[in-house]
């Protein structure tokens, strides 16, 4: 799945939307510090009142919100595992009645809480739904409506949410004219900040792929590896942050830890070009030969064997491939930090070529070429000659 596929599903989570039909919702309550199911309840989603539906719809959107390889990860199932989640989820997906579906979701619940008690009470919410995607783009001149041909994809989505402690309040009773102490005894389910979740199967361009599952982490670049491996039986992943760190270590191994800003700008620019040229295809990956090519085109003289050895040392795998999008995420808006003891400067990757480190009167200085007067809090800086300070 790419960001367009995910966004396409996410935006359909709306009440009374004929392109997203949620048939059943199944909630499971787990008490903190236990691995027992305290209560579970299943019902048709349409039986919830509209306010409840909207709360859950917003929660499902939250699960599918975030950048790929930062908060959202497409996992490939490992081939063999005990009580394989791929098989459990597939059975649940194909089940023709609610009881069979609940049975499979309870098996997933057991895997999620086995040997892993939560610090707070949590609620696991499962839905099964059908996502309809028009097969054609809208054409106002055509007699045939875009709704006449659609891709239909059934899926299961899971959201894990913690509960909040009930509020204790002092209230004033206007009728009795007295202050009263009030405490709610029922915990509140925090649907605004899902802890984790997943979507099965993945859906790409209207085609379902039961060999993959989309995992959602609660925080960016902090995936729960136990959940990925033991619960979902997914293969090992690398976050965008980890991929970027591997790239930086490989570069340092090959050319050292000193690099001209204009060279670095050229490196990022070349990788960004690769990303943009393959935007509609499979996300491009860079092996050691690609990194060698990028460095060479950026003016660095590098040895092919040295790059290969660096990949081996940093990743323990000379055939490892880096995701290009992890190295230059949001190229036009992402900031590169220039760190000094005096101040930290943020600048976009494409503007690195205007940055220089120079020596002036025995002092190291950062010089940035600008086309117009710089501003500080709305005030234009006065131009100064080098000899004035």
């Amino acid at each position: 799945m790419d960001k367009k596929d995910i966004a396409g599903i996410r935006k359909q989570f709306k009440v009374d939307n004929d392109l997203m039909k949620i048939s059943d919702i199944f909630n499971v309550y787990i008490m903190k510090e236990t691995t027992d199911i305290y209560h579970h309840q299943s019902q048709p989603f349409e039986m919830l009142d509209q306010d409840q539906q909207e709360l859950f719809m917003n929660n499902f959107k939250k699960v599918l919100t975030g950048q790929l390889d930062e908060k959202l990860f497409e996992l490939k199932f490992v081939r063999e595992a005990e009580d394989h989640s791929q098989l459990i989820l597939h059975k649940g997906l194909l089940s023709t009645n609610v009881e069979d579906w609940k049975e499979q979701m309870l098996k997933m619940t057991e895997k999620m809480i086995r040997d892993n008690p939560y610090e707070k009470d949590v609620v696991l919410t499962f839905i099964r739904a059908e996502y309809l995607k028009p097969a054609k783009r809208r054409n106002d001149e055509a007699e045939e409506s875009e709704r006449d041909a659609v891709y239909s994809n059934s899926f299961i989505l899971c959201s894990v949410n913690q509960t909040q402690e009930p509020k204790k309040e002092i209230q004033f009773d206007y009728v009795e004219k007295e202050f009263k102490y009030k405490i709610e005894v029922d915990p509140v389910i925090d649907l605004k900040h899902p802890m984790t979740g997943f979507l099965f199967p993945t859906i790409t361009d209207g085609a379902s792929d039961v060999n993959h599952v989309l995992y959602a982490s609660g925080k960016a670049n902090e995936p729960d590896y136990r959940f990925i491996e033991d619960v979902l039986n997914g293969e090992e992943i690398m976050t965008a942050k980890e991929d970027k760190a591997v790239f930086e270590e490989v570069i340092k191994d090959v050319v050292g830890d000193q690099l001209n800003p204009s060279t670095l700008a050229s490196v990022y620019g070349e990788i960004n070009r690769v990303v943009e040229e393959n935007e509609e295809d499979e996300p491009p990956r860079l092996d050691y030969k690609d990194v060698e090519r990028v460095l060479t085109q950026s003016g660095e003289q590098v040895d092919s064997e040295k790059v290969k050895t660096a990949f081996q040392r940093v990743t323990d795998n000379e055939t490892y491939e880096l995701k290009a999008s992890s190295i230059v995420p949001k190229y036009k808006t992402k900031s590169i930090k220039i760190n000094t003891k005096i101040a930290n400067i943020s600048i976009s990757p494409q503007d690195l070529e205007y940055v220089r480190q120079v020596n002036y009167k025995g002092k190291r200085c950062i010089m940035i070429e600008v086309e117009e007067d710089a501003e500080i809090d709305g005030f234009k800086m006065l131009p100064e000659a080098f000899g004035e300070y």
Side-chain angles (χ1 to χ4, degrees):
M1 297 183 75
D2 61 22
K3 59 184 179 181
K4 291 182 180 179
D5 294 314
I6 297 170
I9 297 175
R10 184 176 61 240
K11 71 180 183 181
Q12 298 304 334
F13 282 109
K14 296 177 288 190
V15 176
D16 297 327
N17 178 15
D18 62 351
L19 293 178
M20 178 66 71
K21 301 176 181 178
I22 302 176
S23 54
D24 297 287
I25 183 168
F26 184 39
N27 290 304
V28 185
Y29 198 97
I30 309 295
M31 297 287 285
K32 66 179 180 181
E33 299 176 352
T34 70
T35 54
D36 298 323
I37 296 174
Y38 180 74
H39 177 70
H40 60 77
Q41 178 179 317
S42 173
Q43 63 188 120
F45 191 76
E46 63 183 11
M47 296 300 291
L48 301 177
D49 62 43
Q50 184 167 325
D51 289 341
Q52 287 179 308
Q53 289 184 15
E54 287 180 352
L55 286 171
F56 279 111
M57 288 291 195
N58 288 330
N59 176 253
F60 304 148
K61 287 181 184 177
K62 292 279 188 182
V63 172
L64 298 181
T65 298
Q67 296 295 319
L68 278 168
D69 300 314
E70 291 182 8
K71 281 188 93 265
L72 301 174
F73 301 85
E74 185 175 29
L75 309 178
K76 184 178 181 180
F77 289 111
V78 296
R79 290 188 176 182
E80 295 181 2
E82 185 178 348
D83 299 326
H84 208 303
S85 290
Q86 182 184 19
L87 181 59
I88 295 172
L89 291 169
H90 201 212
K91 284 183 177 179
L93 192 69
L94 298 178
S95 59
T96 56
N97 63 68
V98 175
E99 291 305 315
D100 288 344
W101 178 65
K102 284 171 53 180
E103 181 184 351
Q104 301 307 318
M105 296 308 99
L106 286 173
K107 287 182 180 179
M108 286 301 302
T109 299
E110 292 288 352
K111 293 190 69 171
M112 293 164 72
I113 63 178
R114 185 185 303 157
D115 302 323
N116 184 54
Y118 290 95
E119 294 180 357
K120 292 185 177 182
D121 291 7
V122 298
V123 174
L124 315 182
T125 298
F126 299 92
I127 60 168
R128 59 175 179 171
E130 181 183 20
Y131 166 51
L132 301 175
K133 179 184 177 182
K136 299 179 180 179
R137 293 184 177 180
R138 182 178 296 278
N139 185 350
D140 295 332
E141 297 179 0
E143 295 182 2
E144 185 181 25
S145 167
E146 66 171 356
R147 296 291 182 88
D148 292 340
V150 296
Y151 296 110
S152 173
N153 299 96
S154 297
F155 68 88
I156 292 170
L157 184 140
C158 171
S159 176
V160 181
N161 304 280
Q162 64 183 5
T163 61
Q164 298 174 334
E165 294 294 328
K167 292 183 178 180
K168 300 176 183 179
E169 299 173 327
I170 300 294
Q171 296 182 341
F172 180 72
D173 188 328
Y174 278 101
V175 177
E176 299 294 332
K177 294 184 178 179
E178 63 177 345
F179 295 96
K180 292 182 177 180
Y181 174 66
K182 181 182 179 182
I183 180 171
E184 297 287 347
V185 296
D186 298 326
V188 177
I189 304 171
D190 182 8
L191 294 176
K192 294 182 179 179
H193 307 95
M195 299 167 63
T196 189
F198 62 84
L199 172 80
F200 173 85
T202 57
I203 303 170
T204 304
D205 246 352
S208 297
D209 181 1
V210 296
N211 293 313
H212 289 82
V213 58
L214 186 70
Y215 161 72
S217 173
K219 295 181 180 179
N221 290 302
E222 295 184 19
D224 183 342
Y225 293 100
R226 185 205 70 87
F227 195 96
I228 290 171
E229 296 172 12
D230 297 342
V231 176
L232 295 178
N233 302 134
E235 290 187 347
E236 186 179 350
I237 62 165
M238 289 281 280
T239 67
K241 186 177 180 179
E242 290 170 332
D243 249 3
K244 180 75 181 299
V246 167
F247 175 76
E248 291 173 354
E249 283 299 311
V250 168
I251 297 299
K252 288 178 183 179
D253 229 30
V254 175
V255 301
D257 58 2
Q258 293 184 337
L259 201 61
N260 190 303
S262 60
T263 302
L264 190 58
S266 179
V267 168
Y268 285 134
E270 178 61 22
I271 296 174
N272 183 65
R273 183 187 63 78
V274 173
V275 172
E276 290 184 340
E277 287 181 353
N278 295 274
E279 196 169 7
E280 300 299 324
D281 303 320
E282 191 76 16
R285 294 176 177 270
L286 307 175
D287 60 15
Y288 75 90
K289 293 181 181 178
D290 295 313
V291 172
E292 177 196 353
R293 177 181 55 79
V294 167
L295 288 172
T296 301
Q297 291 180 347
S298 301
E300 291 291 325
Q301 299 299 318
V302 296
D303 178 73
S304 177
E305 196 61 35
K306 193 171 183 180
V307 180
K308 184 177 181 180
T309 302
F311 260 76
Q312 175 67 43
R313 186 190 69 79
V314 177
T315 67
D316 292 328
N317 180 9
E318 66 183 37
T319 63
Y320 182 79
E321 294 181 330
L322 300 159
K323 281 191 176 180
S325 58
S326 297
I327 300 169
V328 287
K330 301 180 184 176
Y331 182 74
K332 295 181 180 179
T333 58
K334 180 73 174 179
S335 293
I336 300 294
K337 290 186 178 180
I338 302 173
N339 299 318
T340 73
K341 289 185 178 180
I342 303 300
N344 295 328
I345 304 168
S346 295
I347 193 166
S348 59
Q350 65 266 33
D351 293 332
L352 277 174
E353 60 181 298
Y354 303 112
V355 179
R356 298 288 186 275
Q357 178 173 283
V358 300
N359 288 314
Y360 178 72
K361 291 185 178 181
K363 294 182 179 180
R364 295 178 184 175
C365 301
I366 297 293
M367 183 175 71
I368 303 176
E369 179 186 337
V370 295
E371 294 181 351
E372 54 190 21
D373 290 338
E375 290 189 5
I376 301 178
D377 282 344
F379 294 93
K380 288 187 177 180
M381 294 179 66
L382 286 172
E384 300 178 52
F386 269 116
E388 293 181 9
Y389 68 94

